């Protein structure tokens, strides 16, 4: 029982220490922006096109999703190379 509690305590300590690192905070911000752009891309495309019907191959939609994926990729790179 003591070993199980010690594992959770070690995980919690490492998690708190890691989440406070500036590189991880920046990576989280990039990830939040990336997910937001990818999810809200269709809504922005509706506003730009002034139409409720947006095709899946609309250039505005594709560009927002691409930029969102780039932000997510940057956040992964920050975590991998700076979060060590």
């Amino acid at each position: 029982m003591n070993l199980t509690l010690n594992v959770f305590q070690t995980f919690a300590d490492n998690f708190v220490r890691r989440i406070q690192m500036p590189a991880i905070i920046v990576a989280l911000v990039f990830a939040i922006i990336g997910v937001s752009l990818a999810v809200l891309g269709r809504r922005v495309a509706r506003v730009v096109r002034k139409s409720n019907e947006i095709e899946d191959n609309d250039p505005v939609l594709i560009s927002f999703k691409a930029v969102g994926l780039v932000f997510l990729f940057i956040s992964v790179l920050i975590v991998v190379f700076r979060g060590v």
Side-chain angles (χ1 to χ4, degrees):
M1 184 73 172
N2 190 18
L3 178 65
T4 305
L5 293 176
N6 191 19
V7 168
F8 287 123
Q9 183 64 35
T10 305
F11 171 76
D13 291 341
N14 288 337
F15 180 74
V16 169
R17 190 174 331 119
R18 195 163 203 18
I19 203 76
Q20 291 175 349
M21 295 172 60
I24 300 298
I25 294 171
V26 169
L28 284 173
V29 169
F30 272 106
I32 290 169
I33 292 171
V35 169
S36 298
L37 286 174
V39 170
L40 295 176
R42 187 170 297 274
R43 187 170 297 256
V44 174
R46 285 180 185 161
V47 171
V48 169
R49 299 287 184 216
K50 295 181 178 81
S51 171
N52 283 336
E53 297 300 320
I54 300 297
E55 297 292 324
D56 287 337
N57 61 355
D58 188 77
V60 175
L61 177 62
I62 291 173
S63 63
F64 267 91
K65 287 188 176 188
V67 171
L69 286 175
V70 167
F71 271 86
L72 284 172
F73 183 69
I74 290 171
S75 71
V76 168
L77 288 179
I78 291 172
V79 168
V80 169
F81 291 118
R82 289 290 185 181
V84 180

Coordinates of all heavy atoms in Angstrom, one line a residue:
M1 N 0.8 -1.2 0.0 CA 0.0 0.0 0.0 C 0.9 1.3 0.0 O 0.6 2.2 -0.7 CB -0.9 -0.1 1.2 CG -1.9 1.1 1.3 SD -3.1 0.8 0.1 CE -4.3 2.1 0.5
N2 N 1.9 1.2 0.8 CA 2.8 2.4 0.9 C 3.5 2.6 -0.5 O 3.7 3.8 -0.8 CB 3.8 2.1 2.0 CG 4.6 3.4 2.3 OD1 4.2 4.5 1.9 ND2 5.8 3.3 2.9
L3 N 3.9 1.6 -1.2 CA 4.5 1.7 -2.5 C 3.6 2.4 -3.5 O 4.0 3.3 -4.2 CB 4.9 0.4 -3.0 CG 5.6 0.4 -4.4 CD1 6.9 1.2 -4.4 CD2 5.8 -1.0 -4.9
T4 N 2.3 2.1 -3.5 CA 1.3 2.7 -4.4 C 1.1 4.2 -4.1 O 1.1 5.0 -5.0 CB -0.1 2.0 -4.2 OG1 0.1 0.6 -4.4 CG2 -1.0 2.5 -5.2
L5 N 1.1 4.5 -2.8 CA 0.9 5.9 -2.4 C 2.2 6.7 -2.8 O 2.1 7.8 -3.2 CB 0.6 6.0 -1.0 CG -0.7 5.5 -0.5 CD1 -0.9 5.6 1.0 CD2 -1.8 6.3 -1.2
N6 N 3.3 6.0 -2.7 CA 4.6 6.7 -3.0 C 4.7 7.0 -4.5 O 5.2 8.0 -4.9 CB 5.8 5.8 -2.5 CG 7.1 6.6 -2.6 OD1 7.1 7.8 -2.7 ND2 8.2 5.8 -2.6
V7 N 4.2 6.1 -5.3 CA 4.2 6.2 -6.8 C 3.3 7.4 -7.1 O 3.7 8.3 -7.9 CB 3.7 5.0 -7.5 CG1 3.4 5.2 -8.9 CG2 4.7 3.9 -7.3
F8 N 2.1 7.5 -6.5 CA 1.3 8.7 -6.8 C 1.9 10.0 -6.4 O 1.8 11.0 -7.0 CB -0.1 8.5 -6.2 CG -0.9 7.5 -7.0 CD1 -1.4 6.4 -6.3 CD2 -1.2 7.6 -8.3 CE1 -2.2 5.4 -7.0 CE2 -1.9 6.6 -9.0 CZ -2.4 5.5 -8.3
Q9 N 2.5 10.0 -5.2 CA 3.2 11.2 -4.7 C 4.3 11.6 -5.6 O 4.5 12.8 -5.9 CB 3.7 10.9 -3.2 CG 4.3 12.2 -2.6 CD 3.2 13.3 -2.4 OE1 2.1 13.0 -2.1 NE2 3.6 14.5 -2.6
T10 N 5.1 10.7 -6.1 CA 6.2 11.0 -7.0 C 5.7 11.6 -8.3 O 6.2 12.5 -8.8 CB 7.1 9.8 -7.2 OG1 7.5 9.2 -6.0 CG2 8.3 10.1 -8.1
F11 N 4.6 11.0 -8.8 CA 4.0 11.5 -10.0 C 3.5 12.9 -9.8 O 3.7 13.7 -10.7 CB 2.9 10.5 -10.5 CG 2.1 11.1 -11.6 CD1 2.6 11.1 -12.9 CD2 0.9 11.7 -11.4 CE1 1.9 11.6 -14.0 CE2 0.1 12.2 -12.5 CZ 0.6 12.2 -13.7
A12 N 2.8 13.1 -8.7 CA 2.3 14.5 -8.5 C 3.4 15.5 -8.3 O 3.3 16.6 -8.9 CB 1.4 14.4 -7.2
D13 N 4.5 15.1 -7.7 CA 5.6 16.1 -7.5 C 6.2 16.4 -8.9 O 6.5 17.5 -9.2 CB 6.6 15.5 -6.6 CG 6.1 15.4 -5.1 OD1 5.1 16.2 -4.8 OD2 6.7 14.7 -4.3
N14 N 6.5 15.4 -9.7 CA 7.0 15.6 -11.0 C 6.1 16.4 -11.9 O 6.6 17.2 -12.7 CB 7.4 14.2 -11.6 CG 8.6 13.6 -11.0 OD1 9.4 14.2 -10.3 ND2 8.7 12.3 -11.1
F15 N 4.8 16.1 -11.8 CA 3.9 16.8 -12.7 C 3.8 18.3 -12.3 O 3.8 19.1 -13.2 CB 2.5 16.2 -12.5 CG 1.4 16.8 -13.3 CD1 1.4 16.6 -14.7 CD2 0.5 17.6 -12.7 CE1 0.4 17.2 -15.5 CE2 -0.5 18.3 -13.5 CZ -0.5 18.0 -14.9
V16 N 3.8 18.6 -11.0 CA 3.7 20.0 -10.6 C 5.0 20.7 -11.0 O 5.0 21.8 -11.5 CB 3.4 20.1 -9.1 CG1 3.7 21.5 -8.6 CG2 2.0 19.6 -8.8
R17 N 6.1 20.1 -10.8 CA 7.4 20.7 -11.2 C 7.5 20.9 -12.7 O 8.0 21.9 -13.1 CB 8.6 19.8 -10.7 CG 9.9 20.5 -10.8 CD 11.1 19.6 -10.3 NE 10.7 18.8 -9.2 CZ 10.8 17.4 -9.2 NH1 11.3 16.8 -10.3 NH2 10.5 16.7 -8.2
R18 N 7.0 20.0 -13.5 CA 7.1 20.1 -14.9 C 6.1 21.1 -15.4 O 6.4 21.9 -16.4 CB 6.8 18.7 -15.5 CG 7.1 18.6 -17.0 CD 7.1 17.2 -17.3 NE 7.8 16.5 -18.4 CZ 8.8 17.0 -19.1 NH1 9.3 18.1 -18.9 NH2 9.3 16.2 -20.0
I19 N 4.9 21.2 -14.9 CA 3.9 22.1 -15.4 C 4.3 23.6 -15.1 O 3.8 24.5 -15.7 CB 2.5 21.8 -14.8 CG1 1.4 22.3 -15.7 CG2 2.3 22.3 -13.4 CD1 1.2 21.6 -16.9
Q20 N 5.2 23.8 -14.1 CA 5.6 25.1 -13.8 C 6.8 25.6 -14.6 O 7.2 26.8 -14.5 CB 6.0 25.2 -12.3 CG 4.8 25.1 -11.4 CD 5.2 25.0 -9.9 OE1 6.4 24.9 -9.6 NE2 4.2 25.1 -9.1
M21 N 7.3 24.8 -15.5 CA 8.4 25.2 -16.4 C 7.9 26.2 -17.4 O 6.9 25.9 -18.0 CB 9.1 24.0 -17.0 CG 9.7 23.0 -16.1 SD 10.3 21.5 -16.8 CE 11.4 22.1 -18.0
P22 N 8.7 27.2 -17.7 CA 8.2 28.2 -18.7 C 8.0 27.6 -20.1 O 7.1 28.0 -20.8 CB 9.3 29.3 -18.7 CG 10.0 29.1 -17.4 CD 9.9 27.7 -17.0
A23 N 8.9 26.7 -20.5 CA 8.7 26.1 -21.8 C 7.4 25.3 -21.9 O 6.7 25.3 -23.0 CB 9.9 25.2 -22.1
I24 N 7.0 24.6 -20.9 CA 5.8 23.9 -20.9 C 4.6 24.8 -20.9 O 3.6 24.5 -21.6 CB 5.7 22.9 -19.7 CG1 6.9 22.0 -19.7 CG2 4.4 22.2 -19.6 CD1 7.0 21.0 -20.9
I25 N 4.7 25.9 -20.2 CA 3.6 26.9 -20.2 C 3.4 27.5 -21.6 O 2.3 27.6 -22.1 CB 3.8 28.0 -19.2 CG1 3.7 27.4 -17.8 CG2 2.8 29.1 -19.3 CD1 4.1 28.3 -16.7
V26 N 4.5 27.8 -22.3 CA 4.4 28.3 -23.7 C 3.9 27.3 -24.6 O 3.0 27.6 -25.5 CB 5.8 28.8 -24.1 CG1 5.8 29.1 -25.6 CG2 6.3 30.0 -23.3
A27 N 4.3 26.0 -24.4 CA 3.8 24.9 -25.3 C 2.3 24.7 -25.1 O 1.5 24.5 -26.0 CB 4.5 23.6 -25.0
L28 N 1.8 24.9 -23.8 CA 0.4 24.8 -23.6 C -0.4 25.9 -24.2 O -1.5 25.7 -24.8 CB 0.1 24.8 -22.1 CG 0.4 23.4 -21.3 CD1 0.2 23.6 -19.8 CD2 -0.5 22.4 -21.8
V29 N 0.1 27.1 -24.2 CA -0.5 28.2 -24.9 C -0.6 28.0 -26.4 O -1.7 28.2 -27.0 CB 0.2 29.5 -24.6 CG1 -0.2 30.7 -25.4 CG2 0.1 29.9 -23.1
F30 N 0.5 27.5 -27.0 CA 0.5 27.2 -28.4 C -0.6 26.1 -28.7 O -1.3 26.2 -29.7 CB 1.9 26.8 -28.9 CG 2.7 27.9 -29.3 CD1 3.8 28.3 -28.6 CD2 2.5 28.5 -30.5 CE1 4.6 29.3 -29.0 CE2 3.3 29.6 -31.0 CZ 4.4 30.0 -30.2
A31 N -0.6 25.1 -27.9 CA -1.6 24.0 -28.1 C -3.0 24.5 -28.0 O -3.9 24.1 -28.8 CB -1.4 22.9 -27.1
I32 N -3.3 25.4 -27.0 CA -4.7 25.9 -26.9 C -5.0 26.8 -28.1 O -6.2 26.7 -28.6 CB -4.8 26.7 -25.6 CG1 -4.7 25.8 -24.4 CG2 -6.0 27.6 -25.5 CD1 -4.6 26.5 -23.0
I33 N -4.1 27.6 -28.6 CA -4.4 28.4 -29.7 C -4.6 27.5 -31.0 O -5.5 27.8 -31.8 CB -3.2 29.4 -30.0 CG1 -3.2 30.5 -28.9 CG2 -3.4 30.1 -31.3 CD1 -2.0 31.4 -28.9
G34 N -3.8 26.5 -31.1 CA -3.9 25.6 -32.2 C -5.2 24.9 -32.3 O -5.9 24.8 -33.3
V35 N -5.6 24.3 -31.1 CA -6.9 23.6 -31.1 C -8.1 24.6 -31.3 O -9.0 24.3 -32.0 CB -7.1 22.9 -29.7 CG1 -8.5 22.4 -29.5 CG2 -6.1 21.8 -29.6
S36 N -8.0 25.8 -30.8 CA -9.0 26.8 -31.0 C -9.1 27.2 -32.5 O -10.3 27.2 -33.0 CB -8.7 28.1 -30.2 OG -8.7 27.8 -28.8
L37 N -8.0 27.4 -33.1 CA -8.1 27.7 -34.6 C -8.6 26.5 -35.4 O -9.4 26.8 -36.3 CB -6.7 28.0 -35.1 CG -6.1 29.4 -34.7 CD1 -4.7 29.6 -35.1 CD2 -7.0 30.5 -35.2
A38 N -8.3 25.3 -35.1 CA -8.7 24.2 -35.8 C -10.2 24.0 -35.6 O -11.0 23.6 -36.5 CB -8.0 22.9 -35.4
V39 N -10.7 24.2 -34.4 CA -12.1 23.9 -34.1 C -13.0 25.1 -34.6 O -14.1 24.8 -35.1 CB -12.3 23.7 -32.5 CG1 -13.8 23.7 -32.1 CG2 -11.6 22.4 -32.1
L40 N -12.5 26.3 -34.4 CA -13.4 27.4 -34.8 C -13.2 27.9 -36.2 O -13.7 28.9 -36.6 CB -13.1 28.6 -33.8 CG -13.4 28.4 -32.4 CD1 -13.0 29.6 -31.5 CD2 -14.9 28.2 -32.2
G41 N -12.4 27.1 -37.0 CA -12.2 27.5 -38.4 C -13.4 27.5 -39.2 O -13.6 28.5 -40.0
R42 N -14.3 26.6 -39.0 CA -15.6 26.6 -39.8 C -16.4 27.8 -39.4 O -17.0 28.4 -40.3 CB -16.3 25.3 -39.5 CG -17.6 25.2 -40.4 CD -18.2 23.8 -40.4 NE -17.3 22.7 -40.8 CZ -17.2 22.4 -42.1 NH1 -17.9 23.0 -43.0 NH2 -16.4 21.4 -42.4
R43 N -16.5 28.2 -38.2 CA -17.3 29.4 -37.8 C -16.7 30.6 -38.4 O -17.4 31.5 -38.8 CB -17.3 29.4 -36.3 CG -18.3 30.5 -35.8 CD -18.5 30.4 -34.3 NE -19.1 29.1 -33.9 CZ -20.4 29.0 -33.6 NH1 -21.1 30.0 -33.5 NH2 -20.9 27.8 -33.3
V44 N -15.4 30.8 -38.4 CA -14.7 31.9 -39.0 C -15.0 32.0 -40.5 O -15.2 33.0 -41.0 CB -13.2 32.0 -38.6 CG1 -12.5 33.1 -39.3 CG2 -13.0 32.1 -37.1
A45 N -14.9 30.8 -41.1 CA -15.2 30.7 -42.5 C -16.6 31.2 -42.9 O -16.8 31.8 -43.9 CB -14.9 29.3 -43.0
R46 N -17.5 30.8 -42.0 CA -18.9 31.3 -42.2 C -19.0 32.8 -42.1 O -19.8 33.4 -42.9 CB -19.8 30.7 -41.1 CG -20.1 29.2 -41.3 CD -21.1 28.7 -40.3 NE -21.2 27.3 -40.4 CZ -21.7 26.5 -39.4 NH1 -22.0 27.0 -38.3 NH2 -21.8 25.2 -39.7
V47 N -18.3 33.4 -41.2 CA -18.4 34.8 -41.1 C -17.7 35.5 -42.3 O -18.2 36.5 -42.8 CB -17.7 35.3 -39.8 CG1 -17.5 36.8 -39.7 CG2 -18.5 34.8 -38.6
V48 N -16.6 34.9 -42.7 CA -15.8 35.5 -43.8 C -16.6 35.4 -45.1 O -16.8 36.3 -45.9 CB -14.4 34.9 -44.0 CG1 -13.8 35.2 -45.3 CG2 -13.6 35.2 -42.8
R49 N -17.2 34.2 -45.4 CA -18.0 34.0 -46.6 C -19.4 34.5 -46.5 O -20.1 34.5 -47.5 CB -18.0 32.5 -46.9 CG -16.7 31.9 -47.1 CD -16.1 32.3 -48.4 NE -14.9 31.6 -48.7 CZ -13.9 32.1 -49.3 NH1 -13.9 33.4 -49.7 NH2 -12.8 31.5 -49.4
K50 N -19.9 34.9 -45.3 CA -21.3 35.3 -45.1 C -22.3 34.3 -45.6 O -23.2 34.7 -46.3 CB -21.5 36.7 -45.8 CG -20.6 37.8 -45.2 CD -20.9 39.1 -45.8 CE -20.1 40.2 -45.2 NZ -18.7 40.3 -45.6
S51 N -22.0 33.1 -45.3 CA -22.9 32.0 -45.7 C -22.9 30.9 -44.7 O -21.8 30.7 -44.0 CB -22.4 31.4 -47.1 OG -23.1 30.3 -47.4
N52 N -24.0 30.2 -44.5 CA -24.0 29.1 -43.5 C -23.5 27.8 -44.1 O -23.2 26.9 -43.3 CB -25.5 28.9 -43.0 CG -25.8 30.0 -42.0 OD1 -25.0 30.5 -41.3 ND2 -27.1 30.2 -41.9
E53 N -23.5 27.7 -45.4 CA -23.0 26.5 -46.0 C -21.5 26.7 -46.4 O -21.2 27.4 -47.3 CB -23.8 26.2 -47.3 CG -25.3 25.9 -47.0 CD -25.5 24.7 -46.1 OE1 -24.8 23.7 -46.2 OE2 -26.3 24.8 -45.2
I54 N -20.7 26.0 -45.8 CA -19.2 26.0 -46.0 C -18.8 24.6 -46.5 O -19.0 23.6 -45.8 CB -18.4 26.4 -44.8 CG1 -18.8 27.8 -44.3 CG2 -16.9 26.4 -45.1 CD1 -18.6 28.9 -45.3
E55 N -18.2 24.6 -47.7 CA -17.7 23.3 -48.2 C -16.5 22.9 -47.4 O -15.8 23.7 -46.8 CB -17.3 23.4 -49.7 CG -18.5 23.8 -50.6 CD -19.5 22.6 -50.7 OE1 -19.0 21.5 -50.7 OE2 -20.7 22.9 -50.7
D56 N -16.2 21.6 -47.4 CA -15.0 21.1 -46.7 C -13.7 21.5 -47.3 O -12.7 21.5 -46.7 CB -15.1 19.5 -46.6 CG -16.1 19.1 -45.6 OD1 -16.5 19.8 -44.7 OD2 -16.6 17.9 -45.8
N57 N -13.7 21.9 -48.6 CA -12.5 22.3 -49.3 C -12.4 23.8 -49.4 O -11.7 24.3 -50.3 CB -12.4 21.6 -50.6 CG -13.5 21.9 -51.5 OD1 -14.5 22.6 -51.2 ND2 -13.4 21.4 -52.8
D58 N -13.1 24.5 -48.6 CA -13.0 26.0 -48.6 C -11.6 26.5 -48.2 O -11.1 26.0 -47.2 CB -14.1 26.6 -47.7 CG -14.2 28.1 -47.8 OD1 -14.8 28.5 -48.8 OD2 -13.7 28.8 -47.0
P59 N -11.0 27.4 -49.0 CA -9.7 27.8 -48.7 C -9.5 28.5 -47.3 O -8.5 28.3 -46.6 CB -9.3 28.8 -49.8 CG -10.3 28.5 -50.9 CD -11.5 27.9 -50.2
V60 N -10.5 29.2 -46.9 CA -10.4 29.8 -45.5 C -10.4 28.8 -44.4 O -9.7 28.8 -43.5 CB -11.6 30.8 -45.3 CG1 -11.6 31.4 -43.9 CG2 -11.6 31.9 -46.4
L61 N -11.3 27.8 -44.6 CA -11.4 26.7 -43.6 C -10.1 25.9 -43.6 O -9.6 25.6 -42.5 CB -12.6 25.8 -43.9 CG -12.8 24.5 -43.1 CD1 -13.0 24.9 -41.6 CD2 -13.9 23.7 -43.6
I62 N -9.6 25.6 -44.7 CA -8.3 24.8 -44.8 C -7.2 25.6 -44.2 O -6.3 25.0 -43.5 CB -8.1 24.4 -46.3 CG1 -9.1 23.4 -46.7 CG2 -6.7 23.8 -46.4 CD1 -9.0 23.0 -48.2
S63 N -7.1 26.9 -44.5 CA -6.0 27.7 -43.9 C -6.1 27.8 -42.4 O -5.0 27.7 -41.7 CB -6.0 29.1 -44.6 OG -7.2 29.8 -44.2
F64 N -7.3 27.9 -41.8 CA -7.4 28.0 -40.4 C -7.0 26.6 -39.8 O -6.3 26.6 -38.7 CB -8.8 28.4 -40.0 CG -8.9 29.9 -39.7 CD1 -9.3 30.7 -40.8 CD2 -8.7 30.4 -38.5 CE1 -9.5 32.0 -40.6 CE2 -8.8 31.8 -38.3 CZ -9.2 32.6 -39.4
K65 N -7.4 25.6 -40.4 CA -7.1 24.2 -39.8 C -5.6 24.0 -40.0 O -4.9 23.4 -39.1 CB -7.9 23.2 -40.5 CG -9.3 23.1 -40.1 CD -10.1 21.9 -40.6 CE -11.5 21.9 -40.0 NZ -12.2 20.7 -40.3
A66 N -5.0 24.4 -41.1 CA -3.5 24.2 -41.3 C -2.7 25.1 -40.3 O -1.8 24.5 -39.7 CB -3.2 24.6 -42.7
V67 N -3.1 26.3 -40.0 CA -2.4 27.1 -39.0 C -2.6 26.5 -37.7 O -1.7 26.5 -36.9 CB -3.0 28.6 -39.1 CG1 -2.4 29.4 -37.9 CG2 -2.6 29.2 -40.4
G68 N -3.8 26.0 -37.4 CA -4.0 25.3 -36.1 C -3.1 24.1 -35.9 O -2.5 23.9 -34.8
L69 N -2.9 23.3 -37.0 CA -2.1 22.2 -36.9 C -0.6 22.6 -36.7 O 0.2 21.9 -36.0 CB -2.3 21.3 -38.1 CG -3.5 20.5 -38.1 CD1 -3.7 19.7 -39.5 CD2 -3.6 19.5 -37.0
V70 N -0.2 23.7 -37.4 CA 1.2 24.2 -37.2 C 1.4 24.6 -35.8 O 2.5 24.3 -35.2 CB 1.4 25.4 -38.2 CG1 2.7 26.1 -37.8 CG2 1.4 24.8 -39.6
F71 N 0.4 25.3 -35.2 CA 0.6 25.6 -33.8 C 0.7 24.4 -32.9 O 1.5 24.4 -31.9 CB -0.6 26.5 -33.3 CG -0.4 28.0 -33.5 CD1 -0.7 28.6 -34.7 CD2 0.1 28.8 -32.5 CE1 -0.5 29.9 -34.9 CE2 0.3 30.1 -32.7 CZ 0.0 30.7 -33.9
L72 N -0.1 23.4 -33.1 CA 0.0 22.1 -32.4 C 1.3 21.5 -32.6 O 1.9 21.0 -31.6 CB -1.1 21.2 -32.8 CG -2.5 21.5 -32.2 CD1 -3.6 20.6 -32.8 CD2 -2.5 21.4 -30.7
F73 N 1.9 21.5 -33.8 CA 3.2 20.9 -34.0 C 4.3 21.6 -33.3 O 5.2 21.0 -32.7 CB 3.4 20.9 -35.5 CG 4.7 20.2 -35.9 CD1 4.9 18.8 -35.8 CD2 5.7 20.9 -36.4 CE1 6.1 18.2 -36.1 CE2 6.9 20.3 -36.8 CZ 7.1 19.0 -36.6
I74 N 4.2 23.0 -33.3 CA 5.1 23.8 -32.6 C 5.1 23.5 -31.1 O 6.1 23.4 -30.4 CB 4.9 25.3 -32.8 CG1 5.3 25.6 -34.3 CG2 5.7 26.1 -31.9 CD1 4.9 27.0 -34.7
S75 N 3.9 23.3 -30.5 CA 3.8 23.0 -29.1 C 4.4 21.6 -28.8 O 5.1 21.5 -27.8 CB 2.4 23.0 -28.6 OG 1.6 21.9 -29.2
V76 N 4.3 20.6 -29.7 CA 4.9 19.3 -29.5 C 6.4 19.5 -29.5 O 7.1 18.9 -28.7 CB 4.4 18.3 -30.5 CG1 5.2 17.1 -30.5 CG2 2.9 18.0 -30.2
L77 N 6.9 20.2 -30.5 CA 8.4 20.4 -30.6 C 8.9 21.1 -29.3 O 10.0 20.8 -28.9 CB 8.7 21.3 -31.8 CG 8.5 20.6 -33.2 CD1 8.9 21.5 -34.3 CD2 9.4 19.3 -33.2
I78 N 8.2 22.1 -28.8 CA 8.7 22.8 -27.6 C 8.7 21.8 -26.4 O 9.7 21.8 -25.7 CB 7.8 24.0 -27.3 CG1 7.9 25.1 -28.3 CG2 8.1 24.5 -25.9 CD1 7.0 26.2 -28.2
V79 N 7.7 20.9 -26.3 CA 7.7 20.0 -25.2 C 8.8 19.0 -25.4 O 9.5 18.6 -24.4 CB 6.3 19.3 -25.1 CG1 6.4 18.0 -24.2 CG2 5.3 20.2 -24.7
V80 N 9.1 18.5 -26.6 CA 10.1 17.5 -26.8 C 11.5 18.1 -26.6 O 12.3 17.4 -25.9 CB 10.0 16.9 -28.2 CG1 11.2 16.0 -28.6 CG2 8.7 16.1 -28.3
F81 N 11.8 19.2 -27.1 CA 13.1 19.8 -27.1 C 13.5 20.7 -26.0 O 14.6 20.8 -25.6 CB 13.5 20.5 -28.4 CG 13.5 19.5 -29.6 CD1 12.7 19.6 -30.7 CD2 14.5 18.5 -29.6 CE1 12.7 18.7 -31.7 CE2 14.5 17.6 -30.7 CZ 13.7 17.7 -31.7
R82 N 12.5 21.4 -25.4 CA 12.7 22.3 -24.3 C 12.2 21.8 -23.0 O 12.6 22.3 -21.9 CB 12.1 23.7 -24.6 CG 12.9 24.4 -25.7 CD 14.2 24.8 -25.1 NE 14.9 25.6 -26.1 CZ 16.1 26.1 -25.9 NH1 16.7 25.9 -24.8 NH2 16.6 26.8 -26.8
G83 N 11.3 20.9 -23.0 CA 10.7 20.4 -21.8 C 11.4 19.3 -21.1 O 10.9 18.8 -20.1
V84 N 12.6 19.0 -21.5 CA 13.4 17.9 -20.9 C 14.0 18.4 -19.6 O 14.4 19.4 -19.3 CB 14.5 17.4 -21.8 CG1 15.3 16.3 -21.2 CG2 13.8 17.0 -23.1

